Amino acid sequence: MKNNTPHHIWHVDAKINSLQLLRITLTERTTRLDLGYQANDEYDYGWWINIYQETHLLTSVSERKFLMQDHKNIVTAPGRLNYESRSDWQFFSLFFAPLPLVDQYVSMIESEKPDKNNFNFYNIPLITKEAVLFKLD
Amino acid sequence: MPINKNALRRYQIIDHVILQKDLHKPTIKRMIEVCEREGLKVSKETISKDLGKMRQPRPAGLDAPIVFNFSTQEYYYEDDSFSISGIRLTREESSLLQESLVLIQCLLKTELGDKLRHAMEKVLSTSIEEPENTLGFPVLKTMEPPRSRGYEFMDLLLQACRARIPISFVHYSYSKEAFKAVVLHPCLVREFDNRWYVFGFSEGHNSARCFGLDRMYEPVLLQRSFWNCERATIDNFLNHMYGVYPLREGKTETVILQASPLVTKILSANPIHDSQKVEKNLRGVGTITLTIIPTMELIQFVRSYGPELRIIGPAWMANYDKNT
């Protein structure tokens, strides 16, 4: 049976270092974050990416941690996706438990004690009326 | 009417036998013989049932005005001009269609391509002429580039274009080395030089834009109203460009190229654009005039011929070629 409940998608353009947070998608089953990584001049001897399994979302409307449930086009640490060139790029997606459908600020936390290599985004506004509705196939 | 492949083939044979009444007696015996020659094992009962089925009105049958002559034991069409294929295919026409099928197979390797191929095979089955090739290699060979990234989105994009549904996707720019989330109201999908592009109105750019499928990630259909592109914009994109990425304001200009005698010959035989005009001097050096929207692909095309082809005008385009 197809689910006709509208799903929400936010186009965001948040950036930390070489990582861009591009879209946040909210369905009744999941919260999906689409991200793009572009290496830069810092990486003369190749580079790699991965994501910590404990990566989670925090929201301004709840105390709950929304844990990462799945990932696509990236591996969890200690695994690594290795690249040779600083012109290489990687598009990947992270999946979390569904957020409540209310206006809120969302943070993606890869590490609670981050260093410069961690993928942490803070206080991304998700305003319901700014979302675009989309339909699942 | 759902018809299985063998039944459709038998109907075509029956049709063929009836139409060839001047050559052979259109009897059930003859129909069975032709079926067997075509590799179909059939009984008299099967052919009788087929004749009955063909007589039934559409959509259950084919509405064929088949009449049986008891005295001669022959079948014929009451209407002499009737044929279930509508168009009678000669051997040459059938062969031509078979070749077209090869082209379609090369062009479209998506689910859509499979459907189209299936449709084409049905068309082909309206002729019982089998393509004859005992050489062991294809006599028609087209370039078959490997399937590029992003091709898997073709069906979704065509659906969006046909049903006028906006889409959201992430685009990666090779030149800027950056990602961007895009909302596009797609009008059409176009192939150029074995690469596929979707064209439509981009909300972020507030204008018509073209995006390579190979740079696209995770397109989804949106639930929101559709914004049309102007017809003139679509017309420009389809007909007045060599390539897909216009330069400057995307206005039509007169582009003049100078070509060596060799390249003049090649381009005379293989015009760049419908608007192309060629003038040659006594030595065979050609001045090629195009009325066209300048594009990056046109410049790249000129560059591909090295010193044998160069841009004379407009000045900005000639300098673009020199400075980049």
Side-chain angles (χ1 to χ4, degrees), chain A residues 4 6 9 11-12 20 22-23 32 34 36-39 72 86-87 89-91 93 132-135 137, chain B residues 156 159 165 167-170 172-174 177-183 214 217-224:
Chain A
N4 291 322
I9 189 163
H11 283 198
V12 292
Q20 284 178 268
L22 298 153
R23 290 195 304 194
R32 172 182 178 149
D34 291 326
Y37 191 88
Q38 171 68 58
K72 186 178 175 184
R86 62 188 180 197
S87 71
W89 72 97
Q90 182 68 40
F91 174 83
S93 302
V132 181
L133 300 183
F134 77 102
K135 41 191 172 187
D137 294 334
Chain B
L156 181 138
Q159 181 195 352
I165 303 170
I167 56 171
S168 162
F169 62 90
V170 170
Y172 176 74
S173 165
Y174 291 152
E177 295 194 328
F179 296 87
K180 188 174 178 62
V182 176
V183 173
D214 57 325
Y217 293 90
E218 302 290 340
V220 292
L221 302 173
L222 300 178
Q223 286 184 339
R224 66 190 306 178

CSV table of all heavy atoms in Angstrom, one decimal, chain A residues 4 6 9 11-12 20 22-23 32 34 36-39 72 86-87 89-91 93 132-135 137, chain B residues 156 159 165 167-170 172-174 177-183 214 217-224:
chain,number,residue,atom,x,y,z
A,4,ASN,N,0.3,8.1,1.2
A,4,ASN,CA,0.1,9.4,0.5
A,4,ASN,C,0.4,10.5,1.5
A,4,ASN,O,0.1,11.7,1.2
A,4,ASN,CB,-1.3,9.5,0.0
A,4,ASN,CG,-1.4,8.5,-1.2
A,4,ASN,OD1,-0.5,8.4,-2.0
A,4,ASN,ND2,-2.5,7.9,-1.3
A,6,PRO,N,2.0,13.5,3.1
A,6,PRO,CA,3.1,14.4,2.5
A,6,PRO,C,4.4,14.3,3.3
A,6,PRO,O,4.3,14.2,4.5
A,6,PRO,CB,2.5,15.8,2.5
A,6,PRO,CG,1.3,15.7,3.4
A,6,PRO,CD,0.9,14.3,3.5
A,9,ILE,N,10.7,18.4,2.8
A,9,ILE,CA,12.1,18.5,2.4
A,9,ILE,C,12.6,20.0,2.5
A,9,ILE,O,11.9,20.9,2.1
A,9,ILE,CB,12.3,17.9,1.0
A,9,ILE,CG1,13.8,17.8,0.6
A,9,ILE,CG2,11.7,18.7,-0.1
A,9,ILE,CD1,14.0,16.9,-0.6
A,11,HIS,N,15.7,22.6,1.7
A,11,HIS,CA,17.0,22.8,1.1
A,11,HIS,C,17.8,23.8,2.0
A,11,HIS,O,17.3,24.9,2.3
A,11,HIS,CB,16.8,23.5,-0.3
A,11,HIS,CG,16.3,22.6,-1.4
A,11,HIS,ND1,16.4,22.9,-2.7
A,11,HIS,CD2,15.8,21.3,-1.3
A,11,HIS,CE1,16.0,21.8,-3.4
A,11,HIS,NE2,15.6,20.9,-2.6
A,12,VAL,N,18.9,23.3,2.5
A,12,VAL,CA,19.7,24.1,3.3
A,12,VAL,C,21.1,24.3,2.7
A,12,VAL,O,21.4,23.5,1.8
A,12,VAL,CB,19.9,23.5,4.7
A,12,VAL,CG1,18.5,23.5,5.5
A,12,VAL,CG2,20.4,22.1,4.7
A,20,GLN,N,29.3,20.2,3.0
A,20,GLN,CA,28.1,21.0,2.8
A,20,GLN,C,26.9,20.1,3.3
A,20,GLN,O,26.8,18.9,2.8
A,20,GLN,CB,27.9,21.3,1.4
A,20,GLN,CG,28.7,22.5,0.8
A,20,GLN,CD,28.4,22.7,-0.6
A,20,GLN,OE1,29.1,22.1,-1.5
A,20,GLN,NE2,27.4,23.5,-0.9
A,22,LEU,N,23.1,19.8,2.6
A,22,LEU,CA,22.4,20.3,1.4
A,22,LEU,C,20.9,20.1,1.6
A,22,LEU,O,20.1,21.1,1.2
A,22,LEU,CB,22.8,19.5,0.2
A,22,LEU,CG,24.3,19.7,-0.2
A,22,LEU,CD1,24.9,18.5,-0.9
A,22,LEU,CD2,24.5,20.9,-1.0
A,23,ARG,N,20.4,19.0,2.1
A,23,ARG,CA,19.0,18.8,2.2
A,23,ARG,C,18.7,18.0,3.5
A,23,ARG,O,19.5,17.2,3.9
A,23,ARG,CB,18.4,18.0,1.0
A,23,ARG,CG,18.4,18.7,-0.3
A,23,ARG,CD,17.6,17.9,-1.3
A,23,ARG,NE,17.9,16.5,-1.5
A,23,ARG,CZ,17.5,15.8,-2.5
A,23,ARG,NH1,16.7,16.3,-3.4
A,23,ARG,NH2,17.9,14.5,-2.6
A,32,ARG,N,16.3,12.3,6.9
A,32,ARG,CA,17.5,12.0,6.1
A,32,ARG,C,18.3,13.3,5.9
A,32,ARG,O,17.7,14.4,5.6
A,32,ARG,CB,17.0,11.5,4.7
A,32,ARG,CG,18.1,11.4,3.7
A,32,ARG,CD,17.5,10.9,2.4
A,32,ARG,NE,18.6,10.9,1.4
A,32,ARG,CZ,18.7,10.0,0.4
A,32,ARG,NH1,17.7,9.1,0.2
A,32,ARG,NH2,19.7,10.1,-0.5
A,34,ASP,N,21.2,14.9,3.5
A,34,ASP,CA,22.1,14.8,2.3
A,34,ASP,C,23.3,15.7,2.4
A,34,ASP,O,23.1,16.9,2.6
A,34,ASP,CB,21.3,15.1,1.0
A,34,ASP,CG,20.3,14.0,0.7
A,34,ASP,OD1,20.5,12.9,1.0
A,34,ASP,OD2,19.2,14.4,0.2
A,36,GLY,N,27.4,16.8,1.1
A,36,GLY,CA,28.4,16.7,0.0
A,36,GLY,C,29.8,17.2,0.5
A,36,GLY,O,29.9,18.2,1.2
A,37,TYR,N,30.8,16.4,0.2
A,37,TYR,CA,32.2,16.7,0.7
A,37,TYR,C,33.1,16.9,-0.5
A,37,TYR,O,33.2,16.1,-1.4
A,37,TYR,CB,32.7,15.5,1.6
A,37,TYR,CG,34.0,15.9,2.3
A,37,TYR,CD1,33.9,16.5,3.5
A,37,TYR,CD2,35.2,15.7,1.7
A,37,TYR,CE1,35.1,16.9,4.2
A,37,TYR,CE2,36.4,16.1,2.3
A,37,TYR,CZ,36.3,16.7,3.6
A,37,TYR,OH,37.5,17.0,4.2
A,38,GLN,N,33.7,18.0,-0.5
A,38,GLN,CA,34.7,18.4,-1.5
A,38,GLN,C,36.1,18.6,-0.9
A,38,GLN,O,36.2,19.5,0.0
A,38,GLN,CB,34.3,19.6,-2.3
A,38,GLN,CG,35.3,20.2,-3.2
A,38,GLN,CD,35.5,19.3,-4.5
A,38,GLN,OE1,34.6,19.0,-5.2
A,38,GLN,NE2,36.8,18.8,-4.6
A,39,ALA,N,37.0,17.8,-1.3
A,39,ALA,CA,38.4,18.0,-0.7
A,39,ALA,C,38.9,19.3,-1.2
A,39,ALA,O,38.5,19.9,-2.1
A,39,ALA,CB,39.3,16.9,-1.2
A,72,LYS,N,24.4,6.1,3.7
A,72,LYS,CA,24.5,5.7,2.3
A,72,LYS,C,25.7,6.4,1.6
A,72,LYS,O,25.9,7.6,1.9
A,72,LYS,CB,23.2,6.1,1.5
A,72,LYS,CG,23.1,5.6,0.1
A,72,LYS,CD,21.8,6.0,-0.5
A,72,LYS,CE,21.7,5.7,-1.9
A,72,LYS,NZ,20.4,6.2,-2.5
A,86,ARG,N,42.7,15.8,-4.6
A,86,ARG,CA,42.0,16.8,-3.8
A,86,ARG,C,40.8,17.4,-4.7
A,86,ARG,O,40.1,18.3,-4.3
A,86,ARG,CB,42.9,17.9,-3.3
A,86,ARG,CG,43.6,18.6,-4.4
A,86,ARG,CD,44.7,19.5,-3.7
A,86,ARG,NE,45.4,20.3,-4.7
A,86,ARG,CZ,46.6,20.9,-4.5
A,86,ARG,NH1,47.1,20.8,-3.3
A,86,ARG,NH2,47.2,21.5,-5.4
A,87,SER,N,40.7,16.9,-5.9
A,87,SER,CA,39.6,17.3,-6.7
A,87,SER,C,38.4,16.3,-6.6
A,87,SER,O,37.4,16.5,-7.2
A,87,SER,CB,40.0,17.5,-8.2
A,87,SER,OG,40.2,16.2,-8.7
A,89,TRP,N,35.3,14.2,-4.8
A,89,TRP,CA,34.2,14.7,-4.0
A,89,TRP,C,33.4,13.4,-3.6
A,89,TRP,O,33.5,12.4,-4.2
A,89,TRP,CB,33.3,15.6,-4.8
A,89,TRP,CG,32.5,15.0,-5.9
A,89,TRP,CD1,31.2,14.6,-5.8
A,89,TRP,CD2,32.9,14.7,-7.2
A,89,TRP,NE1,30.8,14.1,-7.0
A,89,TRP,CE2,31.8,14.1,-7.9
A,89,TRP,CE3,34.1,14.9,-7.9
A,89,TRP,CZ2,31.9,13.7,-9.2
A,89,TRP,CZ3,34.2,14.4,-9.2
A,89,TRP,CH2,33.1,13.9,-9.9
A,90,GLN,N,32.5,13.6,-2.6
A,90,GLN,CA,31.7,12.5,-2.1
A,90,GLN,C,30.3,13.1,-1.7
A,90,GLN,O,30.2,14.0,-0.9
A,90,GLN,CB,32.3,11.8,-1.0
A,90,GLN,CG,31.6,10.6,-0.4
A,90,GLN,CD,31.6,9.5,-1.4
A,90,GLN,OE1,32.6,9.2,-2.1
A,90,GLN,NE2,30.4,8.8,-1.6
A,91,PHE,N,29.3,12.5,-2.3
A,91,PHE,CA,27.9,12.8,-1.9
A,91,PHE,C,27.5,11.7,-1.0
A,91,PHE,O,27.6,10.5,-1.4
A,91,PHE,CB,27.0,12.9,-3.1
A,91,PHE,CG,25.5,13.1,-2.7
A,91,PHE,CD1,25.0,14.4,-2.4
A,91,PHE,CD2,24.7,12.0,-2.7
A,91,PHE,CE1,23.7,14.5,-2.1
A,91,PHE,CE2,23.4,12.2,-2.4
A,91,PHE,CZ,22.9,13.4,-2.1
A,93,SER,N,24.6,10.3,2.4
A,93,SER,CA,23.3,10.5,3.1
A,93,SER,C,23.4,9.8,4.5
A,93,SER,O,23.9,8.7,4.6
A,93,SER,CB,22.1,10.1,2.4
A,93,SER,OG,22.1,10.7,1.1
A,132,VAL,N,9.4,22.1,1.4
A,132,VAL,CA,8.7,21.7,0.2
A,132,VAL,C,8.2,20.3,0.4
A,132,VAL,O,8.9,19.5,1.0
A,132,VAL,CB,9.7,21.7,-1.0
A,132,VAL,CG1,9.1,21.3,-2.3
A,132,VAL,CG2,10.4,23.0,-1.1
A,133,LEU,N,7.0,20.1,-0.1
A,133,LEU,CA,6.4,18.7,0.1
A,133,LEU,C,6.9,17.9,-1.1
A,133,LEU,O,7.1,18.4,-2.2
A,133,LEU,CB,4.9,18.8,0.1
A,133,LEU,CG,4.3,19.6,1.2
A,133,LEU,CD1,2.7,19.5,1.2
A,133,LEU,CD2,4.8,19.1,2.6
A,134,PHE,N,7.1,16.6,-0.8
A,134,PHE,CA,7.4,15.7,-1.9
A,134,PHE,C,6.7,14.4,-1.7
A,134,PHE,O,6.2,14.1,-0.6
A,134,PHE,CB,8.9,15.5,-2.0
A,134,PHE,CG,9.5,14.6,-1.0
A,134,PHE,CD1,9.8,13.3,-1.4
A,134,PHE,CD2,9.8,15.0,0.3
A,134,PHE,CE1,10.4,12.4,-0.4
A,134,PHE,CE2,10.3,14.2,1.2
A,134,PHE,CZ,10.6,12.9,0.9
A,135,LYS,N,6.7,13.6,-2.7
A,135,LYS,CA,6.0,12.3,-2.6
A,135,LYS,C,7.0,11.2,-2.8
A,135,LYS,O,7.8,11.3,-3.7
A,135,LYS,CB,4.8,12.2,-3.6
A,135,LYS,CG,5.0,12.8,-5.0
A,135,LYS,CD,3.7,12.9,-5.7
A,135,LYS,CE,3.9,13.6,-7.0
A,135,LYS,NZ,2.6,13.8,-7.7
A,137,ASP,N,7.9,7.5,-4.2
A,137,ASP,CA,7.5,6.8,-5.4
A,137,ASP,C,6.5,5.6,-5.0
A,137,ASP,O,6.7,5.0,-4.0
A,137,ASP,CB,8.7,6.2,-6.1
A,137,ASP,CG,9.5,7.3,-6.7
A,137,ASP,OD1,9.0,8.4,-6.9
A,137,ASP,OD2,10.8,7.1,-6.9
B,156,LEU,N,12.4,8.6,-14.0
B,156,LEU,CA,11.8,9.6,-13.1
B,156,LEU,C,11.7,11.0,-13.8
B,156,LEU,O,10.7,11.7,-13.7
B,156,LEU,CB,12.6,9.7,-11.8
B,156,LEU,CG,12.1,10.7,-10.8
B,156,LEU,CD1,12.2,10.1,-9.4
B,156,LEU,CD2,12.8,12.0,-10.8
B,159,GLN,N,9.0,11.1,-16.4
B,159,GLN,CA,7.7,11.2,-15.7
B,159,GLN,C,7.5,12.6,-15.3
B,159,GLN,O,6.4,13.1,-15.5
B,159,GLN,CB,7.7,10.2,-14.5
B,159,GLN,CG,6.4,10.2,-13.7
B,159,GLN,CD,6.6,9.6,-12.3
B,159,GLN,OE1,7.6,9.0,-12.0
B,159,GLN,NE2,5.5,9.7,-11.5
B,165,ILE,N,5.8,17.8,-13.1
B,165,ILE,CA,6.0,17.7,-11.7
B,165,ILE,C,7.4,18.3,-11.4
B,165,ILE,O,8.4,17.8,-11.9
B,165,ILE,CB,5.9,16.3,-11.1
B,165,ILE,CG1,4.6,15.6,-11.5
B,165,ILE,CG2,6.2,16.2,-9.6
B,165,ILE,CD1,4.6,14.1,-11.3
B,167,ILE,N,10.9,18.9,-9.4
B,167,ILE,CA,11.8,17.9,-8.7
B,167,ILE,C,12.8,18.7,-7.9
B,167,ILE,O,13.1,19.8,-8.1
B,167,ILE,CB,12.6,17.0,-9.7
B,167,ILE,CG1,13.4,17.8,-10.8
B,167,ILE,CG2,11.6,16.1,-10.5
B,167,ILE,CD1,14.3,17.0,-11.6
B,168,SER,N,13.3,18.0,-6.9
B,168,SER,CA,14.4,18.4,-6.1
B,168,SER,C,15.5,17.5,-6.2
B,168,SER,O,15.3,16.3,-6.3
B,168,SER,CB,14.0,18.5,-4.6
B,168,SER,OG,15.1,18.5,-3.7
B,169,PHE,N,16.7,18.0,-6.4
B,169,PHE,CA,17.9,17.1,-6.5
B,169,PHE,C,19.1,17.9,-6.0
B,169,PHE,O,19.1,19.1,-5.9
B,169,PHE,CB,18.1,16.6,-7.9
B,169,PHE,CG,18.4,17.6,-9.0
B,169,PHE,CD1,19.6,18.1,-9.3
B,169,PHE,CD2,17.3,18.2,-9.6
B,169,PHE,CE1,19.9,19.0,-10.2
B,169,PHE,CE2,17.5,19.2,-10.6
B,169,PHE,CZ,18.8,19.6,-10.9
B,170,VAL,N,20.2,17.1,-5.8
B,170,VAL,CA,21.5,17.8,-5.4
B,170,VAL,C,22.3,17.8,-6.7
B,170,VAL,O,22.5,16.7,-7.3
B,170,VAL,CB,22.2,17.1,-4.3
B,170,VAL,CG1,23.6,17.6,-4.1
B,170,VAL,CG2,21.4,17.2,-3.0
B,172,TYR,N,26.1,18.6,-8.4
B,172,TYR,CA,27.5,18.9,-8.2
B,172,TYR,C,28.1,19.5,-9.4
B,172,TYR,O,28.0,19.0,-10.5
B,172,TYR,CB,28.3,17.5,-7.9
B,172,TYR,CG,29.7,17.7,-7.7
B,172,TYR,CD1,30.3,18.3,-6.6
B,172,TYR,CD2,30.6,17.4,-8.7
B,172,TYR,CE1,31.6,18.5,-6.4
B,172,TYR,CE2,32.0,17.6,-8.6
B,172,TYR,CZ,32.5,18.1,-7.4
B,172,TYR,OH,33.8,18.4,-7.3
B,173,SER,N,28.7,20.7,-9.2
B,173,SER,CA,29.3,21.4,-10.3
B,173,SER,C,30.7,21.0,-10.5
B,173,SER,O,31.5,21.2,-9.6
B,173,SER,CB,29.2,22.9,-10.1
B,173,SER,OG,30.1,23.6,-11.0
B,174,TYR,N,31.1,20.5,-11.6
B,174,TYR,CA,32.5,20.0,-11.9
B,174,TYR,C,33.4,21.3,-11.9
B,174,TYR,O,34.5,21.2,-11.4
B,174,TYR,CB,32.6,19.4,-13.2
B,174,TYR,CG,31.9,18.0,-13.4
B,174,TYR,CD1,31.5,17.5,-14.6
B,174,TYR,CD2,31.8,17.2,-12.2
B,174,TYR,CE1,30.9,16.3,-14.7
B,174,TYR,CE2,31.2,15.9,-12.4
B,174,TYR,CZ,30.7,15.5,-13.6
B,174,TYR,OH,30.1,14.3,-13.7
B,177,GLU,N,33.3,22.9,-8.3
B,177,GLU,CA,33.6,21.9,-7.2
B,177,GLU,C,32.8,22.2,-6.0
B,177,GLU,O,33.3,22.4,-4.9
B,177,GLU,CB,35.1,21.9,-6.9
B,177,GLU,CG,36.0,21.4,-8.1
B,177,GLU,CD,37.4,21.1,-7.7
B,177,GLU,OE1,37.9,21.7,-6.8
B,177,GLU,OE2,37.9,20.1,-8.4
B,178,ALA,N,31.5,22.3,-6.2
B,178,ALA,CA,30.6,22.6,-5.1
B,178,ALA,C,29.2,22.0,-5.4
B,178,ALA,O,28.9,21.7,-6.5
B,178,ALA,CB,30.4,24.1,-4.9
B,179,PHE,N,28.5,21.7,-4.3
B,179,PHE,CA,27.2,21.1,-4.4
B,179,PHE,C,26.1,22.2,-4.2
B,179,PHE,O,26.4,23.2,-3.6
B,179,PHE,CB,27.0,20.1,-3.3
B,179,PHE,CG,27.9,18.9,-3.3
B,179,PHE,CD1,29.2,18.9,-2.7
B,179,PHE,CD2,27.5,17.7,-3.9
B,179,PHE,CE1,30.0,17.8,-2.7
B,179,PHE,CE2,28.4,16.6,-4.0
B,179,PHE,CZ,29.6,16.7,-3.4
B,180,LYS,N,25.0,21.9,-4.8
B,180,LYS,CA,23.9,22.8,-4.6
B,180,LYS,C,22.6,22.0,-4.6
B,180,LYS,O,22.4,21.2,-5.5
B,180,LYS,CB,23.9,23.9,-5.6
B,180,LYS,CG,22.9,25.0,-5.4
B,180,LYS,CD,23.1,26.1,-6.5
B,180,LYS,CE,22.1,27.2,-6.3
B,180,LYS,NZ,22.1,27.9,-5.0
B,181,ALA,N,21.6,22.3,-3.7
B,181,ALA,CA,20.3,21.7,-3.8
B,181,ALA,C,19.5,22.5,-4.8
B,181,ALA,O,19.4,23.7,-4.7
B,181,ALA,CB,19.7,21.6,-2.5
B,182,VAL,N,18.8,21.8,-5.7
B,182,VAL,CA,18.1,22.5,-6.8
B,182,VAL,C,16.7,22.1,-6.8
B,182,VAL,O,16.3,20.9,-6.7
B,182,VAL,CB,18.8,22.2,-8.2
B,182,VAL,CG1,18.0,22.8,-9.3
B,182,VAL,CG2,20.2,22.7,-8.2
B,183,VAL,N,15.8,23.1,-7.0
B,183,VAL,CA,14.4,22.8,-7.4
B,183,VAL,C,14.2,23.2,-8.8
B,183,VAL,O,14.4,24.3,-9.2
B,183,VAL,CB,13.4,23.6,-6.5
B,183,VAL,CG1,12.0,23.3,-7.0
B,183,VAL,CG2,13.5,23.1,-5.0
B,214,ASP,N,24.7,13.3,-15.1
B,214,ASP,CA,25.8,12.7,-14.5
B,214,ASP,C,26.3,13.5,-13.2
B,214,ASP,O,27.0,12.9,-12.4
B,214,ASP,CB,27.0,12.6,-15.4
B,214,ASP,CG,27.4,13.9,-16.0
B,214,ASP,OD1,26.5,14.8,-16.2
B,214,ASP,OD2,28.6,14.2,-16.2
B,217,TYR,N,22.2,14.1,-8.1
B,217,TYR,CA,22.1,13.1,-7.0
B,217,TYR,C,20.7,13.1,-6.4
B,217,TYR,O,20.1,14.2,-6.2
B,217,TYR,CB,23.1,13.4,-5.9
B,217,TYR,CG,24.5,13.2,-6.3
B,217,TYR,CD1,25.2,14.2,-6.8
B,217,TYR,CD2,25.1,11.9,-6.2
B,217,TYR,CE1,26.6,14.0,-7.2
B,217,TYR,CE2,26.4,11.7,-6.5
B,217,TYR,CZ,27.2,12.8,-7.1
B,217,TYR,OH,28.4,12.6,-7.4
B,218,GLU,N,20.1,12.0,-6.2
B,218,GLU,CA,18.9,11.8,-5.5
B,218,GLU,C,17.7,12.7,-5.9
B,218,GLU,O,17.2,13.4,-5.0
B,218,GLU,CB,19.2,11.9,-3.9
B,218,GLU,CG,20.2,11.0,-3.4
B,218,GLU,CD,19.8,9.6,-3.4
B,218,GLU,OE1,18.5,9.3,-3.4
B,218,GLU,OE2,20.6,8.7,-3.3
B,219,PRO,N,17.3,12.7,-7.1
B,219,PRO,CA,16.1,13.5,-7.5
B,219,PRO,C,14.8,12.9,-6.9
B,219,PRO,O,14.7,11.7,-6.8
B,219,PRO,CB,16.1,13.4,-9.0
B,219,PRO,CG,16.8,12.1,-9.3
B,219,PRO,CD,17.8,11.9,-8.2
B,220,VAL,N,14.0,13.8,-6.4
B,220,VAL,CA,12.7,13.4,-5.9
B,220,VAL,C,11.6,14.3,-6.5
B,220,VAL,O,11.8,15.4,-6.8
B,220,VAL,CB,12.6,13.4,-4.3
B,220,VAL,CG1,13.5,12.4,-3.7
B,220,VAL,CG2,12.9,14.8,-3.8
B,221,LEU,N,10.4,13.7,-6.7
B,221,LEU,CA,9.3,14.5,-7.2
B,221,LEU,C,8.7,15.3,-6.1
B,221,LEU,O,8.5,14.8,-5.0
B,221,LEU,CB,8.2,13.5,-7.7
B,221,LEU,CG,8.7,12.6,-8.9
B,221,LEU,CD1,7.6,11.6,-9.2
B,221,LEU,CD2,9.1,13.4,-10.1
B,222,LEU,N,8.3,16.5,-6.4
B,222,LEU,CA,7.8,17.4,-5.4
B,222,LEU,C,6.3,17.6,-5.5
B,222,LEU,O,5.7,17.5,-6.6
B,222,LEU,CB,8.4,18.8,-5.5
B,222,LEU,CG,10.0,18.8,-5.2
B,222,LEU,CD1,10.5,20.2,-5.4
B,222,LEU,CD2,10.3,18.3,-3.9
B,223,GLN,N,5.6,18.0,-4.4
B,223,GLN,CA,4.2,18.3,-4.5
B,223,GLN,C,4.0,19.8,-4.5
B,223,GLN,O,3.9,20.4,-3.4
B,223,GLN,CB,3.4,17.6,-3.3
B,223,GLN,CG,3.3,16.1,-3.5
B,223,GLN,CD,2.5,15.6,-2.4
B,223,GLN,OE1,2.3,16.1,-1.3
B,223,GLN,NE2,1.9,14.4,-2.6
B,224,ARG,N,4.1,20.4,-5.6
B,224,ARG,CA,3.9,21.9,-5.6
B,224,ARG,C,3.6,22.2,-7.1
B,224,ARG,O,3.8,21.4,-8.0
B,224,ARG,CB,5.1,22.6,-5.1
B,224,ARG,CG,6.4,22.5,-6.0
B,224,ARG,CD,7.6,23.1,-5.3
B,224,ARG,NE,7.4,24.4,-4.9
B,224,ARG,CZ,8.3,25.1,-4.2
B,224,ARG,NH1,9.5,24.6,-3.9
B,224,ARG,NH2,8.1,26.4,-3.9
